[in-house]
Amino acid sequence: MNDSLNFVKPYLRGWPIIIGAMVLAFLIASRYLQYVTPMYESTAKLRLADLTEGVPNSNLFKDLDVFASTQKINGEIELLKSYALISKALEKVPFEVQVFRSGSIRKTELFQDSPVIITPLQWNENLKDVTFRLSISENQDLTIRDEKNNVYSGHIGDTVLIENSLAVIQLNETLLKEKNYLKIADEYLFTVNSLSKQISQINAGIDIIAVDKDIPVIRISFKSSHPGKAAMFPNALAEAYIEDYIENKYGAANVTVQFLNERIAEISEKLVESEEMILNYRDVNSITNIKQETETDLRQISQLKIQQTNLKMSLEAIKDLEKYVQSGKENFLELAPNFEAFTDLLSTEIIKNIKQLQAEKKDLLLQYTEKDEKVIVVDAKIQDLTSYLAESITNTRKNLQTKYDKLSFDISESEKVFIEVPEKERMMTILNREFEIFQQSYNFLNQKKIEAEIAKAAKIAFHRIITPASISKEPVSPNRIIIKAVSAILGMFGAMSLIFVVHMLKGRVNDQASVESNSMIPIAAAVPKLKNDNEKEDFFLKTIAQWEVKGLLNNNQISCFTGFDHKHGVSFIAKEMANAAWRQSRKVLLLEIRNQDIEPGSDFYQEEIINKNTIKGIVSASQLKTVTTKDWQEFLQKKASEYDQTIIINTDFGQPYTLATMAASGLNIVCLDTRLTPAKLITEVDLIKEEYKLPQVFLALNRAGYNPSLIRESIQFIQKGLKTLKRKG
């Protein structure tokens, strides 16, 4: 958890800088807000006429825009932003002359709060958009200076000649009665704005949007440094929009009425001509009603065809019966014809008589022979009846054939009537179509004429100002709370960025995690900031025990403590380890290699007794240069054999005998300081170990987890500086 929060430590250490930056940014923002010009905003809401509902959709007022389509909200917004409408709105507001009260740092627009009223009478174009400085004295004398420093003098109420232009400068009596505390004698700035500049100022502050895409309501917002000015223009623009709508509607309606009158007269003449053509064609072709006449003839032909069909079926049946009877005439009694097509009563009675005679003959044949008179008489009767029946069938067939031919002739004659019908119908359709076109046009134009005349007479608009703009009491910008808060936050981020940059440029070891991420050499000890002797004693005794358990520390062993600088904790850790070993009644040799010279003629090695178990040996680095590496290493081995522990405070990396001393040691501790050792040196330890094959190399981190307060370090730095000055003094 601590390792994951290591990145926070530089910011915790630099919290005074962060707080100071936030306070400074807050103060700067507060100072800025004292001089910035506040902006006020007022909003008016305009509801557009909805042609799909309400009064505009009634029969009387329907489509008062004559041929206008449903209004597009975006189109109306662009119309409100147009040069034409803004120009009309500017005619309703006194925006031509701007008056400012001039201050040492900023200027304040007065508008209707100005104690003086400046009215240009004849103002040349070359003097428009030019700023003039107006000074009014206590006795109401005035002095006007232009940008070229030309001076024009006068008195309140006079008409002042400025170059070749005239302007009246007088007191605002109405305002001064209401606010008699207003100061008149002061420094002012005024400008007579051209129309283009007024429009550019309006465009810079106006915002026109739709409340919702499905709701025909437009919101007109305007920002200005004066609240009265901000409230006045949205209302003026909405009024100008409605007036322009009515004006355009009336003009369109007037033009439309004239156009419709001309078209109606033209269509009326063509309609009369079409009526006369239809009448003449009917008279020439004796047409009353083609449709009814045709329907009557068709109905008659249909009935005839039904009769023809029935006759044809009866005729076909009787033909089949006649053919059947004629083919079996010799054996008539053996025939079994179908008499469905021949069903009159006489034929039925004849069939019955034939059947009775057949039965009677069968009975007679039981008693008599074929040649008996009774049998012969019966055969004669049967022969007469069958001949009669066959002749009757033939006559019936002839009669049906005659009727069928007659019906076919009648149908053919009736159908001749329809030969001329298509042409008559085509001509009548053409004539009626032309007549209907002219009639529809005539009716449509008359209806539109009525609507246009209503629109011309009714000078009203269904657009409404549903929310007029009111004077805002609070400015919308600058937002003081947000600006101060954002300034403080920016100050915080700026300070944090500065701390981050300094921390990265400084590039110190900082913590155990940064060492482990940059080096493969294990950390043997992470020495915290120890405040007193008891903490030092406990920590280093614990460290010796841990090293012995891990097998790092053995009897008669040389432990070499090396670093890139002695200030990085080399001497401190080596001496404390020697003290801890001494407390355990070990015989300790603390050997320190110093760069300072010793007395001439002395040996390179000298000893001094610290206590009964600790001997401090001092080696002169300059004298050591006269000793070979082999002799030096043998010397160290000999000394180590005389003591339980030999602890060497080695020279810094880069010195001549630093690596030789480390090679002769059984344990090499490279000391790093979290506040002093550059992080880039960590990898160098790995390279040195690999290149020179140094035995048992471990790292010791001095002041691990130490994150001193910036205030404390500043105090210490000041105290150190004072001590230095005292010594010099």
Side-chain angles (χ1 to χ4, degrees), residues 402-523:
T402 302
K403 290 181 179 180
Y404 180 79
D405 294 339
K406 177 62 176 173
L407 280 174
S408 298
F409 177 77
D410 292 342
I411 291 171
S412 177
E413 290 296 322
S414 298
E415 288 178 345
K416 292 180 179 179
V417 178
F418 294 98
I419 295 175
E420 297 180 356
V421 169
E423 181 63 22
K424 291 180 180 179
E425 285 187 343
R426 186 182 70 83
M427 289 302 299
M428 286 302 299
T429 300
I430 294 172
L431 294 174
N432 287 331
R433 182 174 63 241
E434 292 181 356
F435 175 78
E436 289 175 359
I437 290 173
F438 293 135
Q439 188 176 34
Q440 290 175 0
S441 300
Y442 183 81
N443 294 335
F444 174 78
L445 292 172
N446 274 287
Q447 180 183 358
K448 289 302 176 182
K449 177 185 176 182
I450 295 172
E451 294 173 359
E453 288 177 344
I454 294 173
K456 180 180 177 181
K459 295 184 178 181
I460 59 174
F462 294 110
H463 303 309
R464 293 178 58 196
I465 302 175
I466 57 176
T467 303
S470 58
I471 297 176
S472 177
K473 296 181 180 179
E474 296 294 332
V476 294
S477 66
N479 191 318
R480 297 179 178 274
I481 296 176
I482 292 178
I483 288 177
K484 290 179 180 179
V486 170
S487 299
I489 292 172
L490 291 176
M492 179 186 69
F493 282 120
M496 292 177 67
S497 301
L498 178 63
I499 291 171
F500 175 78
V501 172
V502 171
H503 181 69
M504 295 302 294
L505 293 176
K506 187 177 177 183
R508 302 305 183 202
V509 171
N510 296 319
D511 50 46
Q512 190 172 343
S514 62
V515 175
E516 292 174 345
S517 62
N518 289 281
S519 176
M520 297 298 294
I521 301 174
I523 298 175

Side-chain angles (χ1 to χ4, degrees), residues 479-699:
N479 191 318
R480 297 179 178 274
I481 296 176
I482 292 178
I483 288 177
K484 290 179 180 179
V486 170
S487 299
I489 292 172
L490 291 176
M492 179 186 69
F493 282 120
M496 292 177 67
S497 301
L498 178 63
I499 291 171
F500 175 78
V501 172
V502 171
H503 181 69
M504 295 302 294
L505 293 176
K506 187 177 177 183
R508 302 305 183 202
V509 171
N510 296 319
D511 50 46
Q512 190 172 343
S514 62
V515 175
E516 292 174 345
S517 62
N518 289 281
S519 176
M520 297 298 294
I521 301 174
I523 298 175
V527 183
K529 179 69 174 176
L530 303 172
K531 298 179 181 178
N532 52 55
D533 293 337
N534 291 332
E535 289 184 359
K536 294 178 183 178
E537 180 180 341
D538 293 340
F539 178 81
F540 284 101
L541 286 173
K542 180 180 177 182
T543 302
I544 286 180
Q546 290 175 347
W547 286 7
E548 286 181 329
V549 171
K550 294 178 181 179
L552 303 181
L553 201 62
N554 300 307
N555 289 331
N556 305 118
Q557 178 180 279
I558 300 174
S559 299
C560 181
F561 291 81
T562 313
F564 293 94
D565 194 313
H566 271 47
K567 296 179 182 179
H568 295 179
V570 177
S571 298
F572 170 73
I573 296 174
K575 290 177 181 179
E576 292 299 328
M577 289 296 293
N579 291 335
W582 167 76
R583 289 186 179 92
Q584 293 180 343
S585 300
R586 301 179 192 228
K587 190 177 181 181
V588 181
L589 172 63
L590 178 61
L591 193 152
E592 181 178 2
I593 304 173
R594 294 182 178 179
N595 289 322
Q596 64 208 38
D597 294 332
I598 59 176
E599 295 180 3
S602 300
D603 193 8
F604 74 93
Y605 175 74
Q606 296 179 1
E607 289 184 351
E608 63 181 53
I609 299 174
I610 298 177
N611 52 52
K612 63 179 182 179
N613 290 331
T614 305
I615 301 297
K616 183 175 182 181
I618 300 173
V619 177
S620 173
S622 59
Q623 296 286 25
L624 189 60
K625 296 177 181 179
T626 62
V627 180
T628 64
T629 301
K630 183 178 180 181
D631 292 341
W632 167 241
Q633 291 179 342
E634 289 176 352
F635 171 80
L636 292 176
Q637 295 297 332
K638 180 180 178 181
K639 286 291 182 182
S641 63
E642 299 173 0
Y643 297 91
D644 294 331
Q645 291 292 325
T646 301
I647 298 175
I648 300 176
I649 302 175
N650 199 7
T651 53
D652 299 334
F653 282 110
Q655 297 297 323
Y657 278 85
T658 301
L659 296 176
T661 306
M662 294 179 70
S665 302
L667 176 64
N668 286 290
I669 303 296
V670 178
C671 299
L672 306 174
D673 191 280
T674 58
R675 306 302 307 163
L676 299 175
T677 306
K680 63 183 180 179
L681 298 179
I682 298 174
T683 56
E684 291 188 16
V685 180
D686 291 75
L687 297 175
I688 292 171
K689 176 188 174 183
E690 294 297 326
E691 184 176 357
Y692 297 99
K693 307 299 181 183
L694 299 176
Q696 290 242 94
V697 179
F698 293 89
L699 299 176

